[in-house]
Amino acid sequence: MPDSWYEFDIHPAGRDDNIRKAVNERVRAYPELAPYRPMLLRILRQSARDAWDSGAVYCGCYADALDAETPVTAGLTMAVVDTRRDDGSSLDTDPQAMAKRFPAKQAQNADDTWQRVAVLELPSAGTAVRTEGVEDLPVPGTHRSARMITMQTFVRVPGSPDRVAVITATSPNLPLQDPFLELFDAISATFCFTYA
């Protein structure tokens, strides 16, 4: 993760303390962030809760403020998904087969949602499937949705054909979609599997 991002344990037992420590360290290093401390804590706590509730095992967040009313935020989670169905069968995790399950979508106008789909090579993780675009995502715990810049990268877990690592990056700052998609691509490109 870039140095400007926050990384912390998302387990409920320690996440609030971890987030508070991370924000305090950042405010000490950058005193100009002090007025935004409550907003940073709120955004990071909500992101950590949402990540944990979605089954993520890792969460990184970016939060900054252009001013008191304009936060610039992004989040990245990593989850491992088991593709086995209740009947014992599995979804095909071959990258080409996975890519076919995601429809590309063209925007009909400047304010519309869109999605691109590609099969690509990650330097340390091999062949992956990537979706990116602007989507309306459900807001956890509500019946609402929020329009977000999104990138998801799907990588089959080596030696475990029923499991897929899913790296999901999002931001609500739609005017920054090109720079955020470039950043999400650069972060996702570092993904690798390590074994104890």
Side-chain angles (χ1 to χ4, degrees), residues 13 19 21 24 42 44 49 69 78 86 117 119 152 166 169 175 182 196:
I19 290 168
K21 287 176 188 171
N24 288 344
R42 185 180 72 253
L44 296 174
R49 273 193 301 276
E69 302 297 320
M78 199 283 295
D86 292 340
V117 181
V119 175
Q152 286 194 294
V166 183
E182 288 178 22

Side-chain angles (χ1 to χ4, degrees), residues 103-123:
K105 180 184 181 219
Q106 297 290 328
Q108 300 301 312
N109 59 61
D111 296 327
D112 202 4
T113 60
W114 59 274
Q115 179 171 269
R116 289 188 292 247
V117 181
V119 175
L120 68 154
E121 290 296 318
L122 298 181

